[in-house]
Amino acid sequence: MNYSNKENYFDAIIVGSGTCGATIAKELSSKHKNVLILERGGNDPLKESLMAYAKISNEVPVAGKLKDMRAFTTGGSTAMYLAVADLPPVDTFKNLGIDLTEDLEEACKELPISEISDNFIGAQAKKLGESARALGYDWKKKLMLVDQSKFDNKNFYEVKWKARTFVDSALRDGATLITQATVSKVIHDNKKAIGVEYTIGKKKEVFKAYGEKIVLAAGSLATPVILRESGIKNVVSHGFYINPSIGLIGSIRGLSSAENFCGCMGAKVDDEIELMDANFHRFLFNVGMLVSAKPLRIAAYPRHVGITVKVKEPVGGELTADGKFNKKLTDNDHRKLEKGLGVARQILENAGAGKIFKTELISGGALGTLKIKEHVDEKLQTEYEGLYVCDGSILPENDRVTPTFTLVCLAKYLSRHLAATL
Protein backbone atom coordinates (compact mmCIF):
# COMPACT_ATOMS: atom_id res chain seq x y z
CA MET A 1 0.00 0.00 0.00
CA ASN A 2 1.18 3.50 -0.79
CA TYR A 3 0.32 6.23 1.71
CA SER A 4 2.90 8.75 0.49
CA ASN A 5 0.18 11.05 -0.82
CA LYS A 6 -1.32 11.49 2.66
CA GLU A 7 -0.67 14.62 4.68
CA ASN A 8 -0.05 12.46 7.72
CA TYR A 9 2.76 10.44 6.14
CA PHE A 10 6.21 10.70 7.73
CA ASP A 11 9.68 9.35 7.18
CA ALA A 12 9.65 8.16 10.79
CA ILE A 13 7.01 7.91 13.51
CA ILE A 14 8.48 7.77 17.01
CA VAL A 15 6.26 6.55 19.82
CA GLY A 16 7.52 8.13 23.06
CA SER A 17 9.65 11.21 23.67
CA GLY A 18 11.85 9.88 26.47
CA THR A 19 15.59 9.28 26.24
CA CYS A 20 15.51 7.12 23.10
CA GLY A 21 12.61 8.76 21.32
CA ALA A 22 14.01 12.24 21.88
CA THR A 23 17.49 11.22 20.68
CA ILE A 24 16.20 9.54 17.52
CA ALA A 25 13.93 12.48 16.75
CA LYS A 26 16.83 14.92 17.11
CA GLU A 27 19.20 12.84 14.99
CA LEU A 28 16.75 12.24 12.13
CA SER A 29 15.35 15.78 12.10
CA SER A 30 18.87 17.20 11.90
CA LYS A 31 19.27 15.16 8.70
CA HIS A 32 16.10 16.73 7.23
CA LYS A 33 13.86 13.71 7.77
CA ASN A 34 10.15 14.28 8.34
CA VAL A 35 9.55 13.04 11.89
CA LEU A 36 6.39 12.64 13.99
CA ILE A 37 6.75 12.26 17.78
CA LEU A 38 3.78 10.87 19.71
CA GLU A 39 3.97 11.55 23.46
CA ARG A 40 1.47 10.16 25.95
CA GLY A 41 1.96 13.04 28.40
CA GLY A 42 1.80 16.79 28.09
CA ASN A 43 4.34 19.48 27.33
CA ASP A 44 3.98 21.81 30.31
CA PRO A 45 7.21 23.45 31.54
CA LEU A 46 9.18 21.15 33.81
CA LYS A 47 9.32 22.09 37.48
CA GLU A 48 10.55 20.37 40.61
CA SER A 49 7.53 20.65 42.88
CA LEU A 50 5.04 18.33 44.51
CA MET A 51 2.26 19.47 42.20
CA ALA A 52 4.41 19.14 39.08
CA TYR A 53 5.63 15.65 40.01
CA ALA A 54 2.13 14.49 40.92
CA LYS A 55 0.83 15.67 37.56
CA ILE A 56 3.28 13.67 35.45
CA SER A 57 4.05 10.61 37.58
CA ASN A 58 2.45 7.25 36.87
CA GLU A 59 2.94 4.02 38.84
CA VAL A 60 2.68 0.52 37.39
CA PRO A 61 2.63 -2.65 39.54
CA VAL A 62 5.44 -5.01 38.52
CA ALA A 63 5.78 -7.43 41.45
CA GLY A 64 2.82 -7.70 43.80
CA LYS A 65 2.54 -4.36 45.59
CA LEU A 66 5.94 -3.30 44.25
CA LYS A 67 5.50 -0.56 41.64
CA ASP A 68 7.64 1.08 39.01
CA MET A 69 7.29 4.81 38.41
CA ARG A 70 7.38 6.53 35.04
CA ALA A 71 6.70 10.07 33.87
CA PHE A 72 4.11 11.06 31.28
CA THR A 73 5.61 14.24 29.85
CA THR A 74 7.79 15.38 26.97
CA GLY A 75 11.23 13.96 27.74
CA GLY A 76 9.84 11.05 29.72
CA SER A 77 11.36 9.90 32.99
CA THR A 78 14.39 12.19 32.71
CA ALA A 79 11.95 14.79 34.07
CA MET A 80 12.19 13.02 37.46
CA TYR A 81 15.45 11.04 37.52
CA LEU A 82 18.61 11.42 39.62
CA ALA A 83 20.89 11.85 36.55
CA VAL A 84 23.20 9.00 37.61
CA ALA A 85 24.95 7.47 34.60
CA ASP A 86 26.96 4.39 33.66
CA LEU A 87 28.89 3.80 30.47
CA PRO A 88 27.20 1.26 28.19
CA PRO A 89 28.47 -2.36 28.26
CA VAL A 90 30.08 -2.07 24.83
CA ASP A 91 31.43 -5.64 24.75
CA THR A 92 28.05 -7.14 25.65
CA PHE A 93 26.38 -5.27 22.81
CA LYS A 94 29.22 -6.11 20.42
CA ASN A 95 28.64 -9.81 21.13
CA LEU A 96 25.04 -9.22 20.09
CA GLY A 97 26.14 -7.66 16.80
CA ILE A 98 25.71 -4.05 17.92
CA ASP A 99 28.79 -1.82 17.84
CA LEU A 100 28.26 1.28 19.98
CA THR A 101 31.84 2.55 19.77
CA GLU A 102 31.08 5.47 17.46
CA ASP A 103 27.88 6.35 19.26
CA LEU A 104 29.51 6.30 22.69
CA GLU A 105 32.23 8.66 21.52
CA GLU A 106 29.67 11.06 20.06
CA ALA A 107 27.44 10.95 23.16
CA CYS A 108 30.37 11.68 25.46
CA LYS A 109 31.09 14.83 23.47
CA GLU A 110 27.47 15.93 23.33
CA LEU A 111 26.19 15.26 26.84
CA PRO A 112 27.49 16.72 30.15
CA ILE A 113 28.68 13.40 31.60
CA SER A 114 31.31 13.48 34.36
CA GLU A 115 31.91 12.91 38.04
CA ILE A 116 30.61 15.60 40.39
CA SER A 117 33.30 18.02 41.53
CA ASP A 118 34.36 17.76 45.19
CA ASN A 119 33.24 21.37 45.58
CA PHE A 120 29.64 20.33 44.89
CA ILE A 121 29.51 17.36 47.27
CA GLY A 122 28.01 18.09 50.69
CA ALA A 123 29.27 17.01 54.08
CA GLN A 124 26.65 14.24 54.25
CA ALA A 125 27.97 12.45 51.18
CA LYS A 126 31.60 13.03 52.16
CA LYS A 127 31.00 11.65 55.65
CA LEU A 128 29.36 8.57 54.21
CA GLY A 129 32.22 7.99 51.78
CA GLU A 130 34.83 8.30 54.51
CA SER A 131 32.98 5.74 56.62
CA ALA A 132 32.59 3.26 53.76
CA ARG A 133 36.24 3.47 52.73
CA ALA A 134 37.36 3.11 56.36
CA LEU A 135 35.47 -0.19 56.44
CA GLY A 136 37.21 -1.38 53.28
CA TYR A 137 34.56 -0.70 50.65
CA ASP A 138 35.59 0.73 47.28
CA TRP A 139 33.34 3.76 47.64
CA LYS A 140 33.92 6.01 44.65
CA LYS A 141 32.29 8.62 42.48
CA LYS A 142 29.70 7.78 39.86
CA LEU A 143 29.25 9.50 36.52
CA MET A 144 26.32 11.91 36.32
CA LEU A 145 24.52 13.75 33.53
CA VAL A 146 24.86 17.18 35.09
CA ASP A 147 26.01 20.47 33.56
CA GLN A 148 28.21 21.60 36.43
CA SER A 149 29.25 24.76 34.56
CA LYS A 150 25.73 26.12 35.19
CA PHE A 151 25.42 24.95 38.80
CA ASP A 152 24.91 27.68 41.43
CA ASN A 153 24.56 25.41 44.51
CA LYS A 154 20.77 25.70 44.32
CA ASN A 155 19.59 24.69 40.84
CA PHE A 156 20.02 20.92 41.28
CA TYR A 157 17.04 20.14 39.05
CA GLU A 158 17.80 22.58 36.25
CA VAL A 159 21.38 21.41 35.64
CA LYS A 160 20.44 17.75 35.12
CA TRP A 161 20.36 16.77 31.45
CA LYS A 162 16.83 16.05 30.25
CA ALA A 163 15.65 14.40 27.06
CA ARG A 164 13.31 17.33 26.48
CA THR A 165 16.29 19.36 25.22
CA PHE A 166 16.63 16.88 22.35
CA VAL A 167 12.92 17.10 21.58
CA ASP A 168 13.22 20.89 21.44
CA SER A 169 16.12 20.53 19.01
CA ALA A 170 14.06 18.19 16.82
CA LEU A 171 11.15 20.64 16.78
CA ARG A 172 13.46 23.45 15.70
CA ASP A 173 14.53 21.23 12.81
CA GLY A 174 10.96 20.65 11.69
CA ALA A 175 9.73 17.62 13.65
CA THR A 176 6.05 17.38 14.66
CA LEU A 177 5.10 16.68 18.29
CA ILE A 178 1.62 15.49 19.30
CA THR A 179 1.09 15.30 23.05
CA GLN A 180 -1.58 13.45 25.06
CA ALA A 181 -1.33 10.78 22.35
CA THR A 182 -1.73 7.17 23.49
CA VAL A 183 -0.70 4.67 20.82
CA SER A 184 -2.79 1.48 20.89
CA LYS A 185 -1.19 -0.52 18.10
CA VAL A 186 0.98 -0.57 15.01
CA ILE A 187 -0.74 -0.82 11.63
CA HIS A 188 0.91 -3.45 9.42
CA ASP A 189 0.39 -4.90 5.97
CA ASN A 190 1.83 -8.35 5.23
CA LYS A 191 4.18 -8.02 8.20
CA LYS A 192 5.37 -4.59 7.11
CA ALA A 193 4.72 -1.76 9.58
CA ILE A 194 3.05 1.15 7.82
CA GLY A 195 1.62 3.31 10.63
CA VAL A 196 0.10 3.56 14.10
CA GLU A 197 -3.30 4.09 15.67
CA TYR A 198 -3.64 6.47 18.61
CA THR A 199 -6.12 8.49 20.64
CA ILE A 200 -5.69 11.96 22.11
CA GLY A 201 -6.49 12.65 25.74
CA LYS A 202 -9.75 11.09 26.92
CA LYS A 203 -11.41 11.30 23.53
CA LYS A 204 -12.46 8.02 21.95
CA GLU A 205 -11.76 9.08 18.36
CA VAL A 206 -8.99 6.96 16.83
CA PHE A 207 -6.38 8.71 14.71
CA LYS A 208 -3.98 7.13 12.26
CA ALA A 209 -0.55 8.23 11.07
CA TYR A 210 1.56 6.52 8.44
CA GLY A 211 5.30 6.30 8.03
CA GLU A 212 8.22 4.60 6.36
CA LYS A 213 9.76 3.64 9.70
CA ILE A 214 8.01 3.12 13.04
CA VAL A 215 10.04 3.25 16.27
CA LEU A 216 8.55 2.12 19.57
CA ALA A 217 10.37 4.07 22.29
CA ALA A 218 7.45 4.14 24.72
CA GLY A 219 9.37 2.49 27.57
CA SER A 220 9.67 -1.07 28.80
CA LEU A 221 6.24 -0.96 30.44
CA ALA A 222 4.39 0.24 27.34
CA THR A 223 6.27 -1.06 24.31
CA PRO A 224 5.61 -4.79 24.98
CA VAL A 225 1.89 -4.07 25.40
CA ILE A 226 1.77 -2.18 22.07
CA LEU A 227 3.66 -5.02 20.34
CA ARG A 228 1.21 -7.59 21.67
CA GLU A 229 -1.79 -5.52 20.58
CA SER A 230 -0.14 -5.26 17.16
CA GLY A 231 -0.02 -9.03 16.72
CA ILE A 232 3.45 -9.89 18.02
CA LYS A 233 2.62 -12.42 20.73
CA ASN A 234 5.96 -13.69 22.04
CA VAL A 235 6.93 -10.54 23.98
CA VAL A 236 8.16 -10.92 27.58
CA SER A 237 8.60 -14.64 26.82
CA HIS A 238 11.58 -14.77 29.18
CA GLY A 239 10.30 -12.35 31.82
CA PHE A 240 12.06 -9.17 32.93
CA TYR A 241 14.18 -7.72 35.73
CA ILE A 242 13.46 -4.89 38.16
CA ASN A 243 16.59 -4.40 40.33
CA PRO A 244 14.64 -4.03 43.63
CA SER A 245 15.99 -1.24 45.84
CA ILE A 246 15.52 -0.13 49.44
CA GLY A 247 17.03 2.67 51.53
CA LEU A 248 18.35 3.28 55.03
CA ILE A 249 18.24 6.81 56.41
CA GLY A 250 19.93 7.94 59.63
CA SER A 251 20.83 11.11 61.51
CA ILE A 252 24.27 12.24 62.71
CA ARG A 253 24.22 14.59 65.68
CA GLY A 254 26.23 17.75 65.01
CA LEU A 255 26.43 17.25 61.24
CA SER A 256 25.57 20.34 59.22
CA SER A 257 25.55 19.79 55.49
CA ALA A 258 24.88 21.65 52.31
CA GLU A 259 22.72 19.92 49.70
CA ASN A 260 23.88 17.05 47.49
CA PHE A 261 23.55 15.41 44.10
CA CYS A 262 21.97 12.12 45.17
CA GLY A 263 23.69 9.03 43.81
CA CYS A 264 27.01 10.72 43.15
CA MET A 265 28.99 7.93 44.91
CA GLY A 266 28.65 4.24 45.69
CA ALA A 267 30.23 0.81 45.86
CA LYS A 268 29.52 -2.84 45.09
CA VAL A 269 29.26 -5.29 47.97
CA ASP A 270 29.48 -8.15 45.48
CA ASP A 271 28.30 -8.94 41.94
CA GLU A 272 24.65 -8.87 42.99
CA ILE A 273 24.49 -6.13 45.63
CA GLU A 274 25.26 -2.46 45.05
CA LEU A 275 25.16 0.47 47.49
CA MET A 276 24.57 4.05 46.41
CA ASP A 277 24.73 7.36 48.18
CA ALA A 278 21.16 8.45 49.00
CA ASN A 279 21.84 11.97 50.20
CA PHE A 280 19.17 13.89 48.34
CA HIS A 281 19.02 17.61 47.85
CA ARG A 282 16.45 19.23 50.09
CA PHE A 283 13.35 19.01 47.88
CA LEU A 284 13.70 15.30 47.19
CA PHE A 285 14.56 14.65 50.84
CA ASN A 286 11.36 16.41 51.90
CA VAL A 287 9.34 14.33 49.45
CA GLY A 288 10.99 11.17 50.75
CA MET A 289 10.19 12.01 54.36
CA LEU A 290 6.55 12.69 53.50
CA VAL A 291 6.29 9.39 51.60
CA SER A 292 7.97 7.58 54.51
CA ALA A 293 5.59 9.22 57.03
CA LYS A 294 8.52 10.97 58.73
CA PRO A 295 7.51 14.67 58.36
CA LEU A 296 9.21 15.75 61.60
CA ARG A 297 12.58 14.86 60.08
CA ILE A 298 12.24 17.52 57.39
CA ALA A 299 13.48 20.27 59.73
CA ALA A 300 16.59 18.22 60.52
CA TYR A 301 17.66 17.78 56.88
CA PRO A 302 21.34 18.84 57.37
CA ARG A 303 21.96 15.99 59.84
CA HIS A 304 20.61 13.17 57.69
CA VAL A 305 22.60 10.60 55.72
CA GLY A 306 21.29 7.77 53.57
CA ILE A 307 22.24 4.72 51.53
CA THR A 308 20.25 2.91 48.84
CA VAL A 309 20.68 -0.86 48.50
CA LYS A 310 20.07 -2.29 45.01
CA VAL A 311 20.20 -6.00 44.18
CA LYS A 312 20.10 -8.11 41.05
CA GLU A 313 17.29 -10.62 40.90
CA PRO A 314 16.78 -13.40 38.33
CA VAL A 315 14.89 -12.60 35.14
CA GLY A 316 11.33 -13.87 35.40
CA GLY A 317 7.70 -12.89 35.55
CA GLU A 318 5.16 -12.41 32.81
CA LEU A 319 2.95 -9.99 30.95
CA THR A 320 -0.55 -11.26 31.65
CA ALA A 321 -3.33 -11.50 29.10
CA ASP A 322 -4.82 -8.24 30.34
CA GLY A 323 -1.54 -6.37 29.84
CA LYS A 324 -0.25 -6.38 33.42
CA PHE A 325 3.28 -7.17 34.57
CA ASN A 326 3.58 -9.78 37.28
CA LYS A 327 6.64 -11.07 39.10
CA LYS A 328 7.50 -12.53 42.51
CA LEU A 329 10.68 -11.86 44.44
CA THR A 330 12.29 -15.01 45.80
CA ASP A 331 13.54 -15.75 49.30
CA ASN A 332 17.06 -15.39 47.92
CA ASP A 333 16.23 -11.92 46.63
CA HIS A 334 15.11 -10.90 50.10
CA ARG A 335 18.27 -12.40 51.63
CA LYS A 336 20.39 -10.27 49.30
CA LEU A 337 18.42 -7.19 50.30
CA GLU A 338 18.95 -7.99 53.97
CA LYS A 339 22.66 -8.54 53.41
CA GLY A 340 22.93 -5.19 51.65
CA LEU A 341 20.96 -3.48 54.41
CA GLY A 342 23.35 -4.97 56.97
CA VAL A 343 26.33 -3.44 55.18
CA ALA A 344 24.53 -0.12 54.77
CA ARG A 345 23.71 -0.03 58.49
CA GLN A 346 27.33 -0.80 59.33
CA ILE A 347 28.51 2.14 57.19
CA LEU A 348 25.91 4.49 58.68
CA GLU A 349 26.68 3.52 62.26
CA ASN A 350 30.42 3.82 61.62
CA ALA A 351 29.73 7.35 60.41
CA GLY A 352 27.99 8.08 63.71
CA ALA A 353 24.40 7.81 62.53
CA GLY A 354 21.51 6.95 64.82
CA LYS A 355 17.71 6.90 64.53
CA ILE A 356 18.08 4.76 61.41
CA PHE A 357 14.94 3.71 59.55
CA LYS A 358 14.19 1.70 56.43
CA THR A 359 12.32 3.09 53.42
CA GLU A 360 9.81 1.24 51.27
CA LEU A 361 11.03 -1.27 48.68
CA ILE A 362 10.92 0.18 45.16
CA SER A 363 11.46 -1.11 41.64
CA GLY A 364 14.43 -0.01 39.59
CA GLY A 365 12.42 -0.43 36.42
CA ALA A 366 10.87 -3.36 34.57
CA LEU A 367 13.66 -3.79 32.03
CA GLY A 368 14.84 -6.37 29.52
CA THR A 369 11.35 -7.39 28.48
CA LEU A 370 12.60 -8.11 24.95
CA LYS A 371 15.71 -9.96 23.81
CA ILE A 372 18.08 -8.85 21.08
CA LYS A 373 18.46 -11.57 18.42
CA GLU A 374 15.09 -13.02 19.39
CA HIS A 375 12.46 -10.28 19.57
CA VAL A 376 14.56 -7.74 17.62
CA ASP A 377 17.58 -8.18 15.36
CA GLU A 378 20.94 -6.42 15.52
CA LYS A 379 19.37 -3.40 13.79
CA LEU A 380 16.67 -3.38 16.54
CA GLN A 381 14.01 -4.33 13.98
CA THR A 382 11.13 -6.61 15.02
CA GLU A 383 9.60 -9.41 12.96
CA TYR A 384 7.62 -6.68 11.18
CA GLU A 385 9.67 -4.92 8.51
CA GLY A 386 10.08 -1.23 9.34
CA LEU A 387 9.12 -1.62 13.02
CA TYR A 388 11.89 -0.99 15.54
CA VAL A 389 12.21 -0.98 19.33
CA CYS A 390 14.57 1.31 21.22
CA ASP A 391 14.04 1.74 24.96
CA GLY A 392 14.61 -0.12 28.23
CA SER A 393 12.79 -3.13 26.80
CA ILE A 394 15.93 -4.32 25.01
CA LEU A 395 18.57 -3.77 27.70
CA PRO A 396 20.50 -7.03 28.29
CA GLU A 397 20.13 -8.71 31.67
CA ASN A 398 23.83 -9.43 32.20
CA ASP A 399 25.13 -5.87 32.62
CA ARG A 400 22.55 -3.96 34.63
CA VAL A 401 23.80 -0.45 34.20
CA THR A 402 21.89 2.69 35.11
CA PRO A 403 20.15 2.93 31.74
CA THR A 404 19.94 6.56 30.58
CA PHE A 405 23.34 7.00 28.96
CA THR A 406 23.26 3.53 27.40
CA LEU A 407 19.88 4.34 25.89
CA VAL A 408 21.24 7.55 24.34
CA CYS A 409 23.99 5.50 22.69
CA LEU A 410 21.53 2.86 21.46
CA ALA A 411 19.28 5.55 20.04
CA LYS A 412 22.19 7.14 18.20
CA TYR A 413 23.10 3.72 16.84
CA LEU A 414 19.58 3.11 15.55
CA SER A 415 19.39 6.63 14.14
CA ARG A 416 22.48 6.04 12.01
CA HIS A 417 20.91 2.94 10.45
CA LEU A 418 17.53 4.56 9.94
CA ALA A 419 19.03 7.66 8.33
CA ALA A 420 21.02 5.46 5.94
CA THR A 421 17.88 3.67 4.71
CA LEU A 422 15.41 6.55 4.56
Side-chain angles (χ1 to χ4, degrees):
M1 293 184 181
N2 182 6
Y3 296 92
S4 59
N5 61 337
K6 299 275 188 177
E7 289 184 3
N8 62 340
Y9 185 88
F10 300 85
D11 292 323
I13 299 173
I14 301 169
V15 180
S17 69
T19 301
C20 288
T23 303
I24 297 166
K26 180 184 77 72
E27 296 292 325
L28 294 183
S29 297
S30 70
K31 295 176 175 60
H32 310 294
K33 307 304 178 184
N34 187 18
V35 174
L36 171 64
I37 310 164
L38 296 172
E39 167 54 44
R40 187 169 179 173
N43 196 35
D44 291 343
L46 297 180
K47 297 179 181 179
E48 190 175 55
S49 69
L50 286 174
M51 289 291 290
Y53 273 25
K55 187 175 181 179
I56 66 175
S57 62
N58 174 262
E59 290 185 323
V60 180
V62 293
K65 295 181 179 179
L66 187 60
K67 297 179 180 180
D68 187 32
M69 183 175 287
R70 56 186 175 177
F72 287 163
T73 186
T74 305
S77 294
T78 58
M80 298 173 63
Y81 77 146
L82 296 178
V84 179
D86 288 318
L87 295 178
V90 173
D91 290 340
T92 296
F93 280 107
K94 192 170 290 186
N95 290 334
L96 293 168
I98 296 173
D99 188 354
L100 296 179
T101 306
E102 177 182 336
D103 311 289
L104 172 58
E105 182 178 346
E106 183 178 317
C108 285
K109 293 178 180 177
E110 190 171 1
L111 271 62
I113 182 168
S114 63
E115 296 175 352
I116 296 296
S117 166
D118 287 342
N119 297 331
F120 300 148
I121 298 177
Q124 295 160 313
K126 289 179 179 177
K127 185 79 172 177
L128 202 61
E130 291 167 0
S131 176
R133 287 188 288 271
L135 292 170
Y137 296 101
D138 186 22
W139 198 267
K140 56 188 179 183
K141 290 183 179 181
K142 300 276 289 182
L143 294 172
M144 299 195 78
L145 290 166
V146 171
D147 188 347
Q148 297 178 66
S149 67
K150 297 180 180 178
F151 184 53
D152 63 7
N153 292 297
K154 294 180 181 179
N155 56 344
F156 288 87
Y157 183 72
E158 290 76 12
V159 295
K160 295 176 184 177
W161 176 82
K162 299 175 187 65
R164 182 174 287 210
T165 61
F166 279 7
V167 176
D168 291 341
S169 177
L171 295 178
R172 288 193 295 271
D173 285 332
T176 300
L177 170 66
I178 299 178
T179 58
Q180 307 294 338
T182 301
V183 172
S184 56
K185 66 179 182 179
V186 175
I187 305 168
H188 57 92
D189 180 26
N190 292 323
K191 286 208 166 185
K192 174 176 171 56
I194 58 175
V196 297
E197 290 187 0
Y198 64 96
T199 56
I200 296 179
K202 296 182 180 180
K203 297 178 182 178
K204 294 183 179 180
E205 182 181 0
V206 176
F207 297 88
K208 296 180 180 181
Y210 298 95
E212 182 69 20
K213 305 290 184 182
I214 314 297
V215 181
L216 294 183
S220 59
L221 292 168
T223 287
V225 177
I226 297 172
L227 287 172
R228 180 177 285 185
E229 292 298 315
S230 305
I232 298 178
K233 301 299 184 182
N234 67 335
V235 295
V236 201
S237 54
H238 299 280
F240 54 94
Y241 62 92
I242 61 175
N243 295 329
S245 303
I246 195 167
L248 277 189
I249 308 291
S251 177
I252 300 177
R253 184 176 298 177
L255 182 65
S256 180
S257 177
E259 301 182 54
N260 296 275
F261 284 102
C262 181
C264 66
M265 289 190 281
K268 287 189 175 182
V269 175
D270 56 34
D271 289 339
E272 296 190 319
I273 304 173
E274 183 178 0
L275 305 182
M276 190 171 72
D277 173 294
N279 292 297
F280 299 91
H281 65 274
R282 191 179 293 270
F283 169 78
L284 291 180
F285 176 83
N286 293 350
V287 172
M289 292 305 99
L290 291 173
V291 170
S292 301
K294 303 284 185 182
L296 296 180
R297 293 209 179 213
I298 290 176
Y301 166 80
R303 298 199 298 271
H304 279 83
V305 291
I307 297 177
T308 295
V309 178
K310 181 173 71 174
V311 303
K312 291 183 180 179
E313 93 292 359
V315 171
E318 62 177 345
L319 177 63
T320 61
D322 56 355
K324 296 181 180 179
F325 291 85
N326 183 39
K327 184 175 189 174
K328 291 184 179 180
L329 295 182
T330 66
D331 290 342
N332 191 44
D333 296 331
H334 288 289
R335 281 193 290 270
K336 285 185 284 190
L337 285 164
E338 288 302 319
K339 179 180 177 180
L341 285 169
V343 175
R345 182 175 291 274
Q346 181 188 28
I347 294 172
L348 288 172
E349 290 178 344
N350 186 61
K355 298 182 179 180
I356 298 171
F357 73 94
K358 186 167 57 176
T359 67
E360 292 293 322
L361 186 67
I362 63 172
S363 163
L367 303 168
T369 45
L370 307 175
K371 282 189 174 292
I372 297 170
K373 286 196 170 180
E374 181 175 339
H375 301 105
V376 298
D377 62 18
E378 67 276 5
K379 297 295 191 295
L380 309 187
Q381 186 171 224
T382 69
E383 63 187 69
Y384 291 172
E385 180 187 350
L387 176 60
Y388 301 81
V389 172
C390 191
D391 56 26
S393 301
I394 60 172
L395 291 176
E397 64 189 76
N398 298 331
D399 301 279
R400 301 193 190 181
V401 295
T402 306
T404 307
F405 193 66
T406 295
L407 293 177
V408 171
C409 295
L410 272 172
K412 285 181 171 290
Y413 167 86
L414 176 56
S415 299
R416 284 195 291 115
H417 292 288
L418 293 177
T421 58
L422 283 169

